[in-house]
């Protein structure tokens, strides 16, 4: 009877064309359905995580419950960034980040730290430092990285040490760190993080390796050169803010390029836009839901094809659609909808990881 009703509902939704999608509808490709799986995301062969905010953790009981059920890794969406942590030189506000770390410890989850250096999260007091004084900028960078990594030592397993150092054409991005120190700010940042916590796993993190071959090549070359120089870089984070028109071959190419450096590969900020043109009248139709499902499946499958010891995991950039940084577009980029229900994208992941179980 339940199946009959579901099927009937699916027909009704399809007949309506652009109605919001039924999260339980059977996909046309006959993949996994809600009735058929007892699996959860953390059954994947690598850790699966989510970017979180303390606000949602404290205000919505369903939020923490779903994370505990589905995930075994967690990342602060914003609360470990410099502009959140540091209001003055040597002064820190740890509350939000500590709250996330405590939740992870209580629930036996790993914590991935994001991000030590990012040009879009420079503290105000850093922006006011005198320009061009290389030694001062190195000193300040070392102090900041040392303080933060030391505070979380033993609790945060891994860090995005440098985030988005390159432009899409492969050139170095102008950032306060680059402009005042030079290219070797990257090497120094990794060395300082390693000195503060020799056990931490250290990542270079960026977006666009799936669509820009120039950026893909530059990052691969740079990370390889850093390794040859003895810099402690252990992984590449591919943010992968993709959309339903992103091709499978580009996802595979970016994951393979990162893996070819011999380092860990983290799909670190995954989401799949369904409305990349930001059409204010867009809705989440059955058709885009199925395309999104494929994107989720392809990406998980692609990560599973690289050597297992290099599969660091996947972090989704938010838990439910309406809390996502994309939601105002409007967009529906995540595997759970605003009712905390599993979407077809969720079952795309289950299909990918089911293969690994067989
Ligand atoms: O919390 C305040 C709220 O009190 C205030 O009323 C409101 C007014 O604008 O701002 C709120 O803070 C915003 C915060 O998101 C929480 O929603 C910040 O302004 C806004 O800048 C911040 O945006 C974050 C962005 O990074 C910049 O830090 C997004 O949430 C976050 O998803 C996004 O994440 C980045 C990754 O770190 C790096 N890769 C790209 C990714 C997407 O941009």
């Amino acid at each position: 009877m339940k199946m009959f009703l579901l099927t009937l509902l699916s027909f009704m939704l399809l007949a309506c064309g652009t109605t919001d999608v039924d999260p339980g509808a059977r996909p046309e490709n006959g993949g996994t359905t809600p009735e058929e799986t007892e699996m959860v995301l953390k059954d994947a062969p690598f850790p699966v995580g989510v970017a979180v905010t303390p606000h949602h953790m404290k205000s919505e009981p369903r939020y923490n419950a779903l994370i505990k059920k589905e995930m075994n890794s967690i990342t602060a969406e914003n609360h470990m960034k410099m502009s959140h942590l540091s209001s003055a030189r040597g002064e820190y506000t740890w509350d939000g980040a500590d709250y996330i770390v405590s939740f992870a410890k209580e629930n036996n989850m790993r914590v991935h730290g994001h991000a030590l250096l990012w040009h879009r999260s420079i503290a105000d007091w850093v922006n006011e430092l005198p320009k061009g004084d290389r030694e001062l900028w190195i000193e300040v960078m070392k102090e900041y990285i040392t303080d933060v990594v030391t505070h979380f030592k033993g609790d945060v397993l891994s860090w995005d040490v440098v985030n988005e150092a390159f432009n899409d054409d492969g050139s170095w991005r102008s950032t306060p760190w680059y402009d005042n120190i030079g290219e070797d700010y990257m090497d120094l940042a990794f060395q300082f993080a390693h000195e503060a916590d020799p056990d931490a796993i250290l990542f270079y993190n960026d977006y666009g390796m799936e669509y820009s071959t120039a950026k893909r090549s530059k990052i691969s070359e740079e990370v390889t050169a850093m390794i040859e120089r003895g810099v402690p870089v252990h992984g590449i984070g591919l943010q992968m803010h993709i959309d339903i028109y992103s091709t499978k071959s580009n996802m595979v190419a970016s994951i393979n390029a990162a893996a070819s450096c011999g380092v860990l590969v983290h799909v670190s900020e995954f989401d799949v836009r369904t409305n990349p043109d930001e059409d204010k009248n867009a809705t989440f139709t059955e058709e885009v839901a199925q395309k999104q499902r494929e994107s989720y499946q392809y990406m998980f499958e692609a990560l599973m094809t690289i050597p297992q010891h290099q599969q660091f995991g996947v972090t989704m950039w938010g838990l439910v659609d309406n809390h996502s940084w994309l939601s105002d577009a409007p967009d529906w980029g995540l595997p759970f909808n605003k009712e905390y229900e599993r979407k077809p994208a969720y079952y795309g992941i289950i299909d990918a990881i089911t293969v690994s179980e067989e």
Side-chain angles (χ1 to χ4, degrees), residues 77-78 81 84 114 118 120-121 163-164 205 239 241 269 317 325:
E77 182 172 356
N78 291 311
K81 293 173 181 172
H84 272 257
H114 172 85
W118 185 32
R120 283 183 55 203
S121 191
N163 190 35
E164 303 174 5
N205 195 55
Q239 295 185 9
H241 295 292
E269 303 181 19
W317 209 241
W325 69 295

Side-chain angles (χ1 to χ4, degrees), residues 283-353:
T283 56
F284 188 62
T285 65
E286 179 63 31
E287 188 188 352
V288 295
Q290 291 307 329
K291 281 184 81 73
Q292 187 184 53
R293 174 189 177 123
E294 287 175 2
S295 300
Y296 268 85
Q297 181 169 348
Y298 293 156
M299 193 284 290
F300 271 75
E301 286 172 352
L303 188 61
M304 285 161 51
T305 63
I306 67 171
Q308 193 160 11
H309 68 274
Q310 289 179 263
Q311 298 169 10
F312 186 72
V314 174
T315 297
M316 260 115 17
W317 209 241
L319 183 66
V320 290
D321 283 338
N322 56 316
H323 296 334
S324 159
W325 69 295
L326 302 171
S327 64
D328 288 346
D331 215 312
W332 301 265
L334 296 167
F336 297 97
N337 67 19
K338 66 181 184 346
E339 303 301 337
Y340 291 77
E341 294 162 336
R342 297 166 169 180
K343 291 166 56 188
Y346 178 94
Y347 296 102
I349 301 174
I350 295 295
D351 280 347
I353 67 179

Side-chain angles (χ1 to χ4, degrees), residues 3 148 228 254 344:
M3 181 54 83
V148 174
E228 284 168 5
S254 60

Side-chain angles (χ1 to χ4, degrees), residues 210 216 246-254:
E210 63 285 350
R216 192 187 300 161
S246 305
T247 65
K248 183 179 182 180
S249 60
N250 280 353
M251 290 184 223
V252 169
S254 60

Side-chain angles (χ1 to χ4, degrees), residues 233-270:
V233 53
H234 311 117
I236 295 178
L238 305 167
Q239 295 185 9
M240 285 240 197
H241 295 292
I242 65 169
D243 62 58
I244 54 173
Y245 307 106
S246 305
T247 65
K248 183 179 182 180
S249 60
N250 280 353
M251 290 184 223
V252 169
S254 60
I255 287 174
N256 286 349
S260 70
C261 300
V263 294
L264 293 163
V265 180
H266 182 200
V267 176
S268 56
E269 303 181 19
F270 195 54

